Amino acid sequence: MKKGYSKLSDHQFKKGILYTPFNSSLGETLYFSPWALEWLPEYIWLSLILDHYGREKGLEIVGRIIKDLSEKDQILCTPMLSEILSLENEKQRNYYEIVCKWISPNILSPLTLIFRLDKHVVFNEYFLEYGTTIDQKITVLQNVIKKNLFHQTNEATDIRFLVLWFGIYSDKIHFASGIEITNALVEYPRINHDHPKMSLYRSLIRAAEIAMRIEEKNRDLPKQFWDTVGLLTRCEPLIINYSEEGSGSVSFFKDATNTIEYLLANNKEKLLSDDKFSVCLGLATYALKIYKEVLDSQISRGILGRCALRIITEVYVTLKYMALKEQDNPAIWRSFKEYGIGKYKYVTLRARETSLDLTQHHLSPPIMEAILTEDKSEEFINMDTRLFDNQNVRKKFEAINENVLYDLYYEYDTNYIHGLWGAVRESAMLFCNNPAHKYHAVPDITFEQKLRSVEHDCEYILKKLLTLISSFYEFPDFYLDKYGEVK
């Protein structure tokens, strides 16, 4: 169990949705104000100063800037670029004069790539310089973004500490003496991050800084910053290498196939008239055929491999569910067949009525009609539009005590069957290693990303399926001696 995160049991179920403890208690009153998206752009100039001078000297220099700004005019004492750039020209010049008193103007020159001369004349008067190339400026920006993007890094917390000092000197916030946050603000710049007190101090400073920004809304600068810096740089997609080959065993597949052949040879009469035997071997063969396609087509590390595993899992659960219900409903095996044929009948009738040309369609109406009338005329075949046995899939897993199988196999792989975003993100989108792009996701247009192999899991479910069938019919000794029972 990963520490610091809510357990599934901590979530509250309301009308089909599992709500986190935070969302359940706060509801619509919860307002998100993400550090990286909305606030780092405002304070990026502070991060440039600290990155250039180092933590100790950088904090000291910014402290002097804050003091001078507050003494000049408290209106000037703001760390937010959106507010600084909105000042009238004279006040902007006053601000930049104080900043340039304590730092070299070229330290903030990377920001002229974003806040350009055509719209920010005064800013560029002070900080635009041509001694540094565009690529060098971009590299500096990427470096400080990388260090400060996550809100709990030491570097980001240093910035948030300075924001609090701006608030104190501008008379926007006050702290009573003797409380922990006051002690933290006094001692924070004097001790290193590895000091035992800093773990508490950092958390206090982050909490206090968040409280300052609750009502700040509707600022265009953060979006402008991310849009501009994003367009200045290229994506750096990363491929995750799981360093594994398929772990499936060809020998298991052969042993399973030989076992089915053994059952056929020793129970031929049952295949002619016994619905249970027919369904058991039909489902086992169907699952094995899927697994053979996984092996032969080498799709075990792809999207289709997960779709295959999901089907095999559902086949096993359906078989075990019918075995459970057989005591109360001996005809469930026949019902299963009729349910499936009814589904085929529905498609067949639709195919007869469609105006589409089906000559190139993967559906084959003549074959479907032959299957449909295999046992009796279609005029005597009903179509059940409900779930099989009128029971949803989750209830079937619960009934046969396979909850773990539902949670970790079926539920996960269903994301791939339905093309839900989690599956799309994992398989078709790549992690971009460019901090200026906020480590976003980019399409895997070279189709290089592979997933973890499903071969081991396919074999595990198939062994469970064959173990179940072995409780109905006599299995060959070679299979039982080699694999035993898998539960």
Side-chain angles (χ1 to χ4, degrees):
M1 175 66 67
K2 199 169 184 179
K3 294 182 179 180
Y5 292 88
S6 303
K7 296 184 292 185
L8 189 60
S9 58
D10 296 330
H11 290 64
Q12 187 171 357
F13 188 79
K14 298 178 184 177
K15 298 181 179 180
I17 298 175
L18 284 165
Y19 289 92
T20 70
F22 270 120
N23 291 339
S24 178
S25 59
L26 297 176
E28 295 182 359
T29 63
L30 188 62
Y31 170 71
F32 288 97
S33 182
W35 165 260
L37 291 180
E38 297 185 8
W39 296 99
L40 177 57
E42 293 280 11
Y43 310 136
I44 194 71
W45 70 281
L46 296 174
S47 67
L48 286 167
I49 295 173
L50 294 191
D51 187 67
H52 180 83
Y53 289 105
R55 180 176 186 267
E56 184 178 352
K57 187 175 181 181
L59 291 176
E60 180 185 346
I61 288 173
V62 177
R64 291 173 178 173
I65 291 173
I66 295 172
K67 184 175 181 294
D68 286 358
L69 288 170
S70 66
E71 291 175 352
K72 178 74 174 179
D73 186 345
Q74 278 199 337
I75 294 177
L76 297 180
C77 197
T78 174
M80 294 175 58
L81 272 174
S82 59
E83 294 182 356
I84 297 168
L85 296 172
S86 298
L87 293 170
E88 59 186 55
N89 290 349
E90 182 181 351
K91 288 187 180 295
Q92 277 195 61
R93 288 190 173 91
N94 291 336
Y95 197 110
Y96 303 146
E97 288 288 347
I98 292 172
V99 171
C100 292
K101 173 184 173 182
W102 295 106
I103 71 166
S104 172
N106 69 307
I107 294 172
L108 300 188
S109 67
L111 295 179
T112 60
L113 295 176
I114 299 163
F115 309 110
R116 297 174 182 171
L117 182 61
D118 57 335
K119 292 184 179 179
H120 302 283
V121 176
V122 180
F123 183 83
N124 279 265
E125 281 180 14
Y126 285 84
F127 303 111
L128 179 62
E129 57 91 25
Y130 299 98
T132 308
T133 67
I134 291 177
D135 286 343
Q136 289 173 326
K137 292 175 182 178
I138 290 173
T139 299
V140 170
L141 284 173
Q142 286 180 306
N143 183 51
V144 295
I145 290 171
K146 182 177 182 179
K147 291 179 180 179
N148 293 276
L149 193 65
F150 181 56
H151 71 107
Q152 290 188 348
T153 64
N154 293 342
E155 292 83 359
T157 308
D158 287 342
I159 302 302
R160 299 168 78 172
F161 163 78
L162 291 173
V163 171
L164 291 177
W165 269 108
F166 268 99
I168 292 169
Y169 270 88
S170 62
D171 210 28
K172 291 179 180 178
I173 55 173
H174 300 85
F175 296 103
S177 61
I179 62 175
E180 288 285 5
I181 182 60
T182 305
N183 295 334
L185 288 167
V186 172
E187 292 193 48
Y188 185 87
R190 300 173 182 174
I191 55 180
N192 295 325
H193 278 293
D194 57 1
H195 193 283
K197 290 183 177 181
M198 286 299 269
S199 178
L200 172 63
Y201 287 172
R202 283 192 295 267
S203 62
L204 290 171
I205 284 166
R206 289 192 291 264
E209 184 271 326
I210 287 174
M212 277 190 63
R213 53 170 139 126
I214 287 178
E215 296 182 359
E216 297 288 351
K217 299 178 182 179
N218 303 320
R219 290 171 290 107
D220 295 329
L221 184 140
K223 185 178 186 305
Q224 176 196 350
F225 176 87
W226 287 120
D227 287 350
T228 306
V229 78
L231 293 174
L232 287 171
T233 55
R234 293 183 178 182
C235 286
E236 300 174 16
L238 291 181
I239 305 293
I240 299 174
N241 182 7
Y242 290 106
S243 300
E244 63 177 16
E245 299 297 330
S247 55
S249 168
V250 175
S251 64
F252 166 75
F253 176 78
K254 290 181 179 178
D255 289 340
T257 302
N258 290 336
T259 299
I260 299 299
E261 291 178 352
Y262 175 90
L263 291 175
L264 287 171
N266 288 275
N267 299 275
K268 188 172 183 180
E269 74 287 352
K270 287 186 173 64
L271 188 62
L272 297 173
S273 57
D274 189 324
D275 287 323
K276 179 178 179 179
F277 185 79
S278 176
V279 169
C280 285
L281 264 65
L283 288 177
T285 304
Y286 183 69
L288 282 171
K289 191 165 185 178
I290 292 171
Y291 185 46
K292 188 175 189 302
E293 292 178 7
V294 170
L295 296 174
D296 291 350
S297 302
Q298 298 182 335
I299 60 172
S300 68
R301 299 180 63 196
I303 296 168
L304 291 181
R306 277 151 172 71
C307 296
L309 177 58
R310 197 264 205 179
I311 298 170
I312 292 172
T313 302
E314 189 164 3
V315 165
Y316 163 69
V317 170
T318 299
L319 184 61
K320 189 172 181 180
Y321 176 81
M322 287 190 288
L324 175 70
K325 294 295 183 179
E326 182 182 19
Q327 290 183 340
D328 299 326
N329 180 17
I332 195 168
W333 309 98
R334 164 54 54 178
S335 299
F336 176 74
K337 285 184 171 181
E338 291 178 346
Y339 178 83
I341 293 300
K343 293 295 185 183
Y344 255 47
K345 178 180 178 179
Y346 181 86
V347 178
T348 300
L349 296 183
R350 286 297 190 188
R352 289 172 184 167
E353 298 169 3
T354 186
S355 59
L356 295 175
D357 180 6
L358 299 179
T359 54
Q360 299 298 320
H361 198 278
H362 74 287
L363 183 151
S364 176
I367 298 298
M368 296 185 69
E369 290 183 6
I371 293 172
L372 180 60
T373 58
E374 203 166 34
D375 291 334
K376 56 187 174 184
S377 168
E378 66 179 84
E379 296 303 321
F380 300 100
I381 298 173
N382 296 325
M383 295 169 283
D384 192 341
T385 61
R386 301 168 298 178
L387 297 168
F388 173 61
D389 202 37
N390 198 26
Q391 189 71 275
N392 69 47
V393 174
R394 181 61 190 260
K395 294 295 184 183
K396 290 175 182 174
F397 276 86
E398 292 175 352
I400 61 174
N401 196 29
E402 292 284 7
N403 292 321
V404 173
L405 212 60
Y406 180 87
D407 293 333
L408 301 184
Y409 286 75
Y410 185 88
E411 184 73 14
Y412 168 64
D413 294 320
T414 294
N415 286 274
Y416 283 84
I417 290 287
H418 296 299
L420 301 182
W421 183 250
V424 173
R425 175 61 187 86
E426 182 182 19
S427 61
M429 305 290 286
L430 300 176
F431 175 84
C432 173
N433 196 35
N434 185 347
H437 291 186
K438 296 166 290 183
Y439 301 116
H440 68 147
V442 295
D444 178 23
I445 56 174
T446 57
F447 310 108
E448 295 179 65
Q449 181 63 63
K450 301 297 182 184
L451 304 168
R452 296 199 68 184
S453 173
V454 300
E455 289 180 16
H456 174 271
D457 293 314
C458 286
E459 282 195 13
Y460 170 66
I461 303 299
L462 286 168
K463 287 173 182 175
K464 287 171 70 72
L465 187 149
L466 291 174
T467 295
L468 177 63
I469 295 177
S470 72
S471 67
F472 308 147
Y473 308 105
E474 182 183 353
F475 261 44
D477 291 337
F478 80 85
Y479 182 89
L480 295 176
D481 291 342
K482 190 171 183 179
Y483 300 106
E485 292 187 356
V486 179
K487 295 183 178 179

